[in-house]
Amino acid sequence: MVHSAAEIAQASTDLACKQATNFMGIATAVQDAYDQQYIAQHTQALADYRRQFDDRIHAAAQIVASSGQPPSV
């Protein structure tokens, strides 16, 4: 794909603005803060999800190890 001079100029201006304002650094810091807040507010639900996920992985490993036979539960 070949870009026009106008598209290249616009992209260059956009990049220069993002660098001058530290847009990506700020956006990343804000997202991280929201993520940390979510984790703090949903610790038990996330732990439950992780435990269920780990159980499924363990069951899948047992199936593979037993040549495709489902594990006895």
Side-chain angles (χ1 to χ4, degrees), residues 3-17:
H3 296 284
S4 70
E7 290 172 320
I8 294 170
Q10 181 64 44
S12 296
T13 300
D14 181 54
L15 179 60
C17 178

Side-chain angles (χ1 to χ4, degrees), residues 50-73:
R50 178 59 191 242
R51 193 169 20 264
Q52 291 171 3
F53 181 81
D54 289 344
D55 290 346
R56 289 180 180 144
I57 295 296
H58 179 72
Q62 286 183 325
I63 290 170
V64 170
S66 67
S67 301
Q69 298 300 318
S72 58
V73 178

Side-chain angles (χ1 to χ4, degrees), residues 20-31:
T21 61
N22 190 26
F23 176 79
M24 291 308 297
I26 293 168
T28 300
V30 169
Q31 184 64 54

